Amino acid sequence: MSNERPTLGIVVPCYNEEAVIRETITQLSGVLKALMEEGLVSRASFLMFVNDGSRDRTWELIAESQKSNPLVSGLKLSGNVGHQNALLAGLMTAKEHADCVISIDADLQDDVKAIREFVIKYSVEGCEIVYGVRQSRKTDTFFKRTTAQGFYRFMERMGVKVTYNHADYRLMSKRALNELERFKEVNLFLRGIVPMIGFKTGIVFYDRLDRFAGESKYPLPKMLAFAFEGITSLSVRPIRLVTMMGFGLSLVSLAAVIYAVASKLLGNTVSGWTSLILSVWFLGGVQLLSLGLIGEYVGKIYKEVKRRPLYIVETLLMPDTLKQAEVESGPARVRSLNVQP
């Protein structure tokens, strides 16, 4: 890597984070200032908070902070597009002004002190991608720990390559982000897409903290839906499993036919209403499952071929340092945005 201090952008997707956003800005600003004082990052480094259609005062608080805090920038999307799309919007906007970008959630459960190690992995060891990985899950309840571990194992068995105990707390270099931009799929699952990029990677272990305030945006039903979205977006293994199940049931049916014919010839025919009904129900359930799974993939194809935008930016608030860089380097990706002082 270059000996020059890199410009660091920290992207924070926000959805209804009114209860925690002030503390998040305070803590991240403190970390960024410390990195600047230590000479690890450029004075042009910044924080970018992405408002994903929040219904509370999240955006108002971001806008207020941007006026008084020279490190803060804000990106307001025109509506709620979901965590992954909002995160991508922040990454793609921030990379135009930064050498490397760290993504972190607004709830302060990811230890902000680990950011220094991310930067060292990038600057000293030359890692293009650095994953933040939980040290352990000792503080989780038994149910939370079991379901989370099951999530990663199930994803892996379904053919999706993910980093164990890693969410979306990571550093990506500008080069890696440029490659990420080439992935054009509408059905986004960044935890599975980023490992496909390759390049030199590193891992920073940290202890996950309790949520500072507010409620979790990923209860169990949403986590299950998120896992299913990732599996069907990145792997065809579920379809292959259904095909293998169909092949196996065909063999069982063939054996049943041979058994039935042999019983008829030997005069051992016995009425089997219960077994017949159970077989019909079982095969009917398998057929409905298969059709539903195929429909899920067809639906994803439908979304992909329409090529709708993943997000629409309504407002971009930038610090003076970024505005000056914009003037010197050209408007790039923010040419059509509503940029406010």
Side-chain angles (χ1 to χ4, degrees):
M1 304 299 295
S2 171
N3 290 327
E4 297 181 1
R5 291 177 295 177
T7 299
L8 171 66
I10 300 178
V11 171
V12 188
C14 305
Y15 177 67
N16 293 342
E17 300 290 359
E18 178 182 357
V20 71
I21 191 66
R22 285 194 179 96
E23 181 64 22
T24 302
I25 292 173
T26 299
Q27 291 197 22
L28 289 176
S29 296
V31 169
L32 199 52
K33 289 177 181 177
L35 292 174
M36 291 177 181
E37 293 296 329
E38 196 175 349
L40 290 177
V41 300
S42 165
R43 292 282 179 179
S45 299
F46 59 92
L47 309 173
M48 179 169 287
F49 294 88
V50 184
N51 182 53
D52 183 24
S54 298
R55 297 190 298 270
D56 59 8
R57 296 186 63 250
T58 297
W59 176 248
E60 286 78 3
L61 295 175
I62 292 172
E64 288 176 10
S65 297
Q66 194 275 333
K67 293 177 181 179
S68 59
N69 188 335
L71 299 177
V72 173
S73 61
L75 188 69
K76 182 181 182 183
L77 304 182
S78 61
N80 179 253
V81 295
H83 179 272
Q84 296 291 278
N85 289 339
L87 177 55
L88 183 70
L91 293 175
M92 292 300 104
T93 305
K95 80 178 181 67
E96 299 300 331
H97 310 281
D99 299 308
C100 57
V101 178
I102 291 176
S103 58
I104 184 172
D105 288 339
D107 56 17
L108 294 177
Q109 287 189 280
D110 297 321
D111 188 1
V112 299
K113 296 178 182 177
I115 289 176
R116 182 180 183 276
E117 296 181 55
F118 279 69
V119 174
I120 291 175
K121 288 278 185 181
Y122 167 79
S123 300
V124 179
E125 299 182 20
C127 295
E128 304 273 4
I129 300 173
V130 182
Y131 297 108
V133 176
R134 293 186 61 170
Q135 188 84 12
S136 68
R137 289 185 173 269
K138 295 179 180 179
T139 58
D140 287 349
T141 63
F142 174 78
F143 178 77
K144 175 67 176 177
R145 181 168 59 251
T146 303
T147 53
Q149 291 174 345
F151 167 80
Y152 289 105
R153 289 170 182 165
F154 183 67
M155 294 286 287
E156 185 177 354
R157 290 178 181 177
M158 287 294 103
V160 180
K161 182 181 178 182
V162 292
T163 301
Y164 188 70
N165 273 346
H166 163 73
D168 287 300
Y169 190 21
R170 71 177 73 89
L171 176 147
M172 297 183 70
S173 67
K174 188 182 185 74
R175 179 187 177 198
L177 288 169
N178 286 334
E179 295 303 320
L180 176 63
E181 192 173 21
R182 296 175 59 193
F183 287 77
K184 300 299 184 182
E185 56 251 54
V186 173
N187 303 285
L188 268 186
F189 186 72
L190 293 176
R191 300 182 197 182
I193 294 176
V194 172
M196 296 180 182
I197 296 174
F199 297 148
K200 184 176 180 179
T201 62
I203 291 178
V204 171
F205 292 98
Y206 68 97
D207 291 320
R208 193 165 172 84
L209 309 173
D210 293 331
R211 185 180 177 87
F212 182 83
E215 298 179 353
S216 173
K217 303 302 186 295
Y218 275 94
L220 180 60
K222 194 169 183 179
M223 179 61 75
L224 292 175
F226 185 57
F228 188 68
E229 175 74 19
I231 292 168
T232 53
S233 296
L234 297 173
S235 173
V236 296
R237 186 168 294 181
I239 288 287
R240 291 175 179 169
L241 290 177
V242 169
T243 302
M244 293 173 62
M245 184 185 299
F247 181 72
L249 288 174
S250 298
L251 293 178
V252 172
S253 300
L254 179 61
V257 168
I258 295 173
Y259 173 78
V261 171
S263 297
K264 179 68 174 177
L265 294 176
L266 296 174
N268 295 327
T269 305
V270 178
S271 59
W273 182 87
T274 302
S275 60
L276 177 62
I277 292 299
L278 290 176
S279 298
V280 170
W281 286 356
F282 176 71
L283 292 175
V286 171
Q287 289 172 346
L288 290 174
L289 173 65
S290 303
L291 287 173
L293 190 57
I294 293 171
E296 180 71 22
Y297 278 96
V298 171
K300 290 188 180 300
I301 295 172
Y302 175 68
K303 290 181 180 179
E304 293 288 347
V305 298
K306 288 189 293 186
R307 309 306 299 168
R308 289 177 178 173
L310 299 180
Y311 55 86
I312 297 174
V313 176
E314 180 178 326
T315 306
L316 175 63
L317 303 176
M318 298 190 300
D320 292 336
T321 52
L322 291 185
K323 290 178 187 177
Q324 183 61 36
E326 188 72 17
V327 171
E328 294 174 355
S329 61
R333 292 178 58 88
V334 296
R335 183 176 291 116
S336 62
L337 303 183
N338 176 22
V339 181
Q340 298 184 0

